[in-house]
Amino acid sequence: MTTPHESNARSGYSICSICDIGCQFRTTARDGRVERVQAHDSPALAKNICYKGTAAPHIHNHADRLRVPLKRVGARGEDRWEEISYEQAMDEIAERLRGVIDRHGPEAFAVSTSGWNTQVTQGLDRRFMNLLGAPNWISGVSLCAGNTAAVNRLTYGWMPFPDIGSTNCVVLLGHNPRKHSWTPIYNQIEGARKRGAKTIVVDPRVSEQAERATIHLQIRAGTDAALLLGWTKVIIDEGLYDKDFVRDHCVGFKELCERVDEYPLERVAEITGVSAEQIAEAARMYANADGAVIPWTPITDQQLDSTSGIRLQSILRAITGNLDVVGGEMLSGPNPSYRTEAELHLHDAIPASQRAKQLGYEKHPVYTYRTAEMLKPHLERVWGEPWVDQVMGCHMANPSEVFRAMADGDPYPIKAFFVLGNNALLSYPNQHQIYRAMMNQDLIVAHEIFMTPTAMLADYVLPGDVFSERNHLADGWAWAARLSLNEQVADAPEEASSTFRFWTDLAHRMDLAEHFPWQTVEELIDYRLEPSGSTFDEFRASKFMDMPVPEFRKYRKKGFATPSGKVELASSILADLGFDPLPYHRPAPAPTAEYPYLVFSGVREDPFFQTGQRNIGVLRRRSPAPEFFVHPVDAARDGLEDGAWARLETEHGHVHAKVSVQDGMRPGHVRVPHGWWYPETRGSVDLAGAFVSSDAVLTIDTDELLDHEQGIPHFKGYPGRLVPCDPPEGMSSTTLG
Ligand SMILES: Nc1nc2c(c(=O)[nH]1)N[C@H]1C(S)=C(S)[C@@H](COP(=O)(O)OP(=O)(O)OC[C@H]3O[C@@H](n4cnc5c(=O)[nH]c(N)nc54)[C@H](O)[C@@H]3O)O[C@H]1N2
Ligand SMILES: Nc1nc2c(c(=O)[nH]1)N[C@H]1C(S)=C(S)[C@@H](COP(=O)(O)OP(=O)(O)OC[C@H]3O[C@@H](n4cnc5c(=O)[nH]c(N)nc54)[C@H](O)[C@@H]3O)O[C@H]1N2
Ligand code: SF4
Ligand SMILES: [Mo]
């Protein structure tokens, strides 16, 4: 029996989408508003929730939540709006998008999103674009895991998932999960430690993970590929590799041996700043462990030789016999019960001639349609899925080239830009170019929950829903084969839309209704669940998660999804594309007398996810201002005081933050945080301070700083200098804490 005050309470399973790791927990709402989130005693669910997750009620009920569609009335970026109805907004957006496509072709329409926070967007946005013939889709996963997946597919046709639960050795290349950062991964690593697993951490600073590591290699930023070439050489020279696996399942071993011979340990020690003995010790520890993992890391996703760094991790997994074994790295394949995002995409609907117009296709093809087309028959053979999409983002355009086309019409104009659940202005390299790009558009639509600097540059801002306000069945990013349940417990603002609604309603206005037959998101989930013979309602009535029992060494039946059917230590696809088929180290520009520091972006702040939550009081109070980390010796030399403001300058721009002097930094290095802007200055400072502290102002994307194969920018180690300064103009130090 329910008491009267309980009758308006509703609770259900949630998949937190405040960050991208997607913890599952219970959420309770009352009178349509989220009240609290709670850990659950099931071993599969979140046992501890980070403080971003527990702040969900503050975020979902925040006074600044966008509630009504907005149409720009001032100049672009002036942040002046009129409120309009959802129907009017959608009618006008459809008409104006049609105008851009009529004038410039479908390639003039670009979309940027990241997918995990909007949860249902991605299959439908690609579907919409593919039916129109529009290839220029980009996402933040171009800098985070999506690109790792693309490179892993070159070596063995799938991005593996580390079996941290049973492993005996964990290698963390920078990657630093903590109690309040990717909590479930942190828990898993702690669990492995308790079982006696060794941990090797490679990081220029003494991170939380480095403090607890068996071995910490305090590497010079940006040199991970060189370090891994050294490891590979040790492992081969000392015969520590799995000879049977290499003989039976790999191609290109001889070429690999020749390549690593170019990297004797003395050379690697000189490049990385780590001693030859330590490099060898760590390599032996990894290779000798009975089951070892190198979990995905964003660090090698954002370096000048990113493709080589990621390829080396895939090569190490293979030659040490850690592929698709217990305690190693599992090649799961898609969940057979659920139609994948890739299937929703309809990639065969977009003509090949339009695919070939995708920006990046010629110059940086590894993450574009060009490589996907080469892998397609092999992926279909092994996984039954021709256009594999892992980590919510695949075969996408190169972001730098897209923003250039938007800004300069080179090589052709892009004139309509939709941005969903992504603060694009701050979330790619070269913020100046992104700004020029957005200022040069005929139509910008932002789908957001808060007024971000990116949304301020739009013509239309549509209020989005949040995870407590929608139903969803998540598929582990088609990376692990897990399905997990997210239930609606709260009410979205009346004029808000999910991204499901947005794409469906737009498609109906653009003569694509027959391809968007689902009236509700639940119907779409039913369609996706068809292979299981079950429906969304049946799923939620019986379980909150579905995890197929893993099957190991599947390659013995079908081989690997590569052209040779083997693990390609020398990649035939890279060779066919005209690149070096083997990994190499490419040095970034070195510090100079004028710019003596190596600057790196990153070290996520506990209370925020990326560019978000700077407006959430309970979180912002934990970290009121952005910080540069520097070593005491550097701080003393440059007159930098702990807690005082400084300006970080490079050849290309400057940003401001407070100095945090830290013993654990590698001398000569400075950390610049990602994603800072100042929502509290909206109305008094241009774009709410989007150019004051954002790392994207400094990270540029000229050819000399882009990875060749994928066009990835270099965020980990570029020259800069630090100068003490006053607090940035327009902001009192009180508002900045
Ligand atoms: N310069 C630079 N760029 C980077 C990085 C970097 O370090 N430096 N890091 C990269 C990495 S690792 C990643 S993972 C990506 C992250 O890229 P994203 O995940 O796109 O993160 P943000 O750019 O912060 O944008 C997320 C936006 O989604 C909004 N949002 C949150 N929930 C919802 C929702 O339910 N519905 C809607 N419609 N909107 C919602 C938030 O308000 C926020 O503005 O960025 C990458 N880009
Ligand atoms: N609270 C919170 N948690 C988050 C996020 C968040 O925004 N907030 N974001 C999530 C996302 S999308 C991501 S991608 C992850 C990112 O989180 P992590 O994978 O932990 O990456 P970072 O925190 O950027 O940096 C981790 C370490 O990399 C080191 N590092 C810097 N340069 C180099 C280098 O060149 N080589 C090596 N080996 N190490 C280097 C830094 O010193 C730092 O200690 O965090 C996730 N978790
Ligand atoms: S780590 Fe925190 S923010 Fe990320 S999904 Fe889990 S609870 Fe949410
Ligand atoms: Mo990320």
Side-chain angles (χ1 to χ4, degrees):
M1 207 176 85
T2 52
T3 56
H5 79 278
E6 279 175 335
S7 59
N8 292 327
R10 200 169 156 194
S11 70
Y13 290 100
S14 290
I15 300 164
C16 178
S17 64
I18 295 168
C19 92
D20 45 354
I21 204 70
C23 296
Q24 200 176 28
F25 46 60
R26 299 281 301 177
T27 298
T28 306
R30 188 177 302 278
D31 298 327
R33 283 162 63 88
V34 172
E35 223 172 44
R36 65 174 179 149
V37 303
Q38 249 178 308
H40 192 267
D41 51 13
S42 158
L45 290 191
K47 283 178 268 308
N48 42 350
I49 303 176
C50 88
Y51 41 61
K52 294 183 301 302
T54 51
H58 297 268
I59 300 171
H60 293 190
N61 303 323
H62 199 280
D64 294 348
R65 267 287 294 278
L66 295 167
R67 293 179 183 275
V68 184
L70 300 174
K71 179 180 181 179
R72 172 168 74 84
V73 290
R76 189 180 295 292
E78 210 186 331
D79 196 16
R80 287 179 47 225
W81 310 93
E82 79 175 294
E83 294 188 350
I84 58 173
S85 72
Y86 176 73
E87 292 300 318
Q88 182 189 340
M90 295 305 286
D91 288 344
E92 292 184 15
I93 291 167
E95 193 189 317
R96 289 174 65 172
L97 178 60
R98 205 179 280 119
V100 168
I101 291 174
D102 287 349
R103 283 193 298 281
H104 303 287
E107 61 274 17
F109 167 43
V111 172
S112 176
T113 179
S114 60
W116 43 74
N117 47 38
T118 55
Q119 292 188 323
V120 275
T121 179
Q122 195 240 352
L124 296 191
D125 51 13
R126 292 303 293 256
R127 186 181 188 93
F128 179 82
M129 293 179 77
N130 284 338
L131 290 163
L132 291 177
N136 289 320
W137 184 91
I138 59 171
S139 156
V141 303
S142 60
L143 295 165
C144 179
N147 54 340
T148 313
V151 174
N152 272 271
R153 287 196 289 273
L154 297 177
T155 312
Y156 36 64
W158 189 266
M159 158 96 139
F161 204 80
D163 183 9
I164 301 176
S166 317
T167 199
N168 287 313
C169 180
V170 182
V171 178
L172 298 169
L173 293 163
H175 196 30
N176 184 34
R178 303 180 299 278
K179 211 168 166 196
H180 298 280
S181 170
W182 279 17
T183 312
I185 308 290
Y186 168 79
N187 291 343
Q188 284 178 15
I189 296 170
E190 284 302 288
R193 280 201 176 99
K194 283 206 187 90
R195 283 190 293 98
K198 307 271 197 309
T199 53
I200 303 170
V201 172
V202 180
D203 195 311
R205 58 187 271 276
V206 186
S207 66
E208 289 80 348
Q209 285 292 343
E211 263 176 353
R212 304 172 60 63
T214 320
I215 299 181
H216 173 205
L217 306 178
Q218 199 162 7
I219 194 175
R220 182 174 290 134
T223 63
D224 294 74
L227 181 87
L228 297 181
L229 283 157
W231 279 24
T232 312
K233 177 153 174 63
V234 171
I235 289 167
I236 293 175
D237 284 356
E238 299 186 8
L240 305 179
Y241 58 97
D242 182 333
K243 296 177 190 76
D244 294 343
F245 185 85
V246 168
R247 186 193 58 230
D248 297 341
H249 300 290
C250 298
V251 292
F253 187 66
K254 188 167 151 282
E255 295 92 316
L256 178 68
C257 294
E258 285 164 11
R259 173 55 51 88
V260 297
D261 279 345
E262 296 170 25
Y263 292 87
L265 284 195
E266 307 73 58
R267 182 179 172 206
V268 173
E270 202 172 305
I271 298 171
T272 59
V274 178
S275 75
E277 296 71 38
Q278 263 204 316
I279 297 170
E281 189 194 351
R284 288 179 199 126
M285 183 177 284
Y286 169 70
N288 287 330
D290 181 13
V293 296
I294 313 177
W296 160 81
T297 168
I299 307 306
T300 43
D301 284 355
Q302 303 169 353
Q303 291 182 2
L304 191 58
D305 49 13
S306 171
T307 304
S308 286
I310 301 165
R311 280 258 301 142
L312 279 157
Q313 293 163 55
S314 67
I315 287 169
L316 282 164
R317 291 180 186 122
I319 66 170
T320 55
N322 277 306
L323 262 193
D324 224 14
V325 295
V326 176
E329 320 248 5
M330 300 178 288
L331 299 165
S332 73
N335 188 310
S337 303
Y338 202 46
R339 288 187 208 277
T340 58
E341 297 273 1
E343 201 178 326
L344 294 179
H345 288 170
L346 301 181
H347 286 295
D348 288 311
I350 178 171
S353 56
Q354 283 303 109
R355 283 204 296 264
K357 286 187 193 163
Q358 186 175 55
L359 293 167
Y361 193 95
E362 293 300 331
K363 204 166 170 188
H364 302 294
V366 161
Y367 201 14
T368 67
Y369 270 130
R370 186 149 155 227
T371 300
E373 285 159 353
M374 295 164 85
L375 274 170
K376 188 181 168 199
H378 314 295
L379 294 169
E380 186 154 31
R381 170 173 53 81
V382 173
W383 301 116
E385 172 123 322
W387 297 103
V388 162
D389 170 20
Q390 291 182 276
V391 203
M392 300 204 115
C394 55
H395 16 94
M396 69 176 74
N398 178 257
S400 294
E401 291 197 27
V402 167
F403 291 115
R404 193 169 315 127
M406 287 167 65
D408 303 329
D410 171 24
Y412 54 73
I414 290 183
K415 285 296 195 180
F417 182 58
F418 288 11
V419 57
L420 296 96
N422 169 236
N423 197 355
L425 181 65
L426 289 79
S427 291
Y428 292 98
N430 199 348
Q431 189 162 327
H432 297 286
Q433 175 168 278
I434 302 171
Y435 177 74
R436 283 200 301 118
M438 293 187 72
M439 291 306 285
N440 190 33
Q441 294 301 289
D442 291 345
L443 172 64
I444 301 180
V445 177
H447 192 279
E448 251 302 340
I449 57 170
F450 293 114
M451 183 56 82
T452 62
T454 302
M456 285 176 203
L457 290 166
D459 295 281
Y460 297 89
V461 181
L462 293 174
D465 61 1
V466 290
F467 70 78
S468 60
E469 299 163 356
R470 58 189 173 225
N471 285 318
H472 179 48
L473 200 53
D475 69 351
W477 304 345
W479 177 4
R482 186 177 66 198
L483 291 184
S484 27
L485 174 68
N486 180 78
E487 295 176 289
Q488 179 179 1
V489 294
D491 303 327
E494 212 165 299
E495 291 281 294
S497 57
S498 62
T499 46
F500 164 80
R501 257 291 47 93
F502 171 75
W503 289 115
T504 302
D505 292 346
L506 197 62
H508 282 245
R509 285 167 168 80
M510 305 274 296
D511 305 323
L512 299 172
E514 63 178 300
H515 303 286
F516 286 77
W518 311 285
Q519 299 299 315
T520 61
V521 75
E522 295 76 19
E523 282 183 22
L524 172 61
I525 301 172
D526 286 347
Y527 168 73
R528 294 188 66 179
L529 271 173
E530 253 173 30
S532 74
S534 163
T535 64
F536 180 63
D537 280 339
E538 286 161 7
F539 187 99
R540 68 195 286 188
S542 60
K543 54 191 165 200
F544 57 86
M545 188 182 280
D546 177 58
M547 183 107 80
V549 179
E551 190 194 332
F552 294 98
R553 298 190 198 273
K554 295 176 287 298
Y555 55 81
R556 286 180 174 161
K557 286 187 218 147
K558 286 195 174 172
F560 292 93
T562 57
S564 60
K566 306 251 179 174
V567 173
E568 298 202 351
L569 304 175
S571 163
S572 64
I573 290 189
L574 285 177
D576 289 349
L577 290 168
F579 295 110
D580 192 333
L582 293 156
Y584 55 88
H585 169 61
R586 182 172 161 214
T592 59
E594 210 183 339
Y595 294 105
Y597 287 92
L598 271 180
V599 185
F600 64 82
S601 276
V603 190
R604 306 304 177 195
E605 282 130 338
D606 284 350
F608 313 122
F609 177 65
Q610 309 293 76
T611 74
Q613 293 90 31
R614 303 307 191 279
N615 56 338
I616 309 297
V618 285
L619 295 173
R620 179 72 179 276
R621 280 192 285 280
R622 293 181 180 276
S623 192
E627 289 179 334
F628 300 132
F629 301 168
V630 277
H631 189 269
V633 169
D634 293 322
R637 186 197 56 225
D638 288 345
L640 301 163
E641 269 179 48
D642 191 66
W645 282 88
R647 196 169 55 241
L648 174 58
E649 303 176 344
T650 71
E651 271 188 349
H652 304 279
H654 61 262
V655 294
H656 299 80
K658 285 185 170 182
V659 172
S660 169
V661 179
Q662 302 194 356
D663 291 335
M665 278 297 283
R666 188 183 161 106
H669 284 56
V670 55
R671 168 264 190 173
V672 56
H674 167 53
W676 271 86
W677 57 290
Y678 301 88
E680 68 277 14
T681 67
R682 184 178 172 201
S684 61
V685 176
D686 259 4
L687 298 175
F691 282 83
V692 174
S693 301
S694 162
D695 69 321
V697 168
L698 304 181
T699 49
I700 55 153
D701 52 6
T702 52
D703 276 349
E704 55 157 4
L705 282 170
L706 285 185
D707 161 271
H708 294 309
E709 296 85 349
Q710 303 176 83
I712 300 292
H714 187 65
F715 288 179
K716 307 294 177 192
Y718 49 90
R721 69 174 166 229
L722 273 172
V723 191
C725 71
D726 293 329
E729 222 176 299
M731 303 191 197
S732 77
S733 41
T734 45
T735 53
L736 299 182

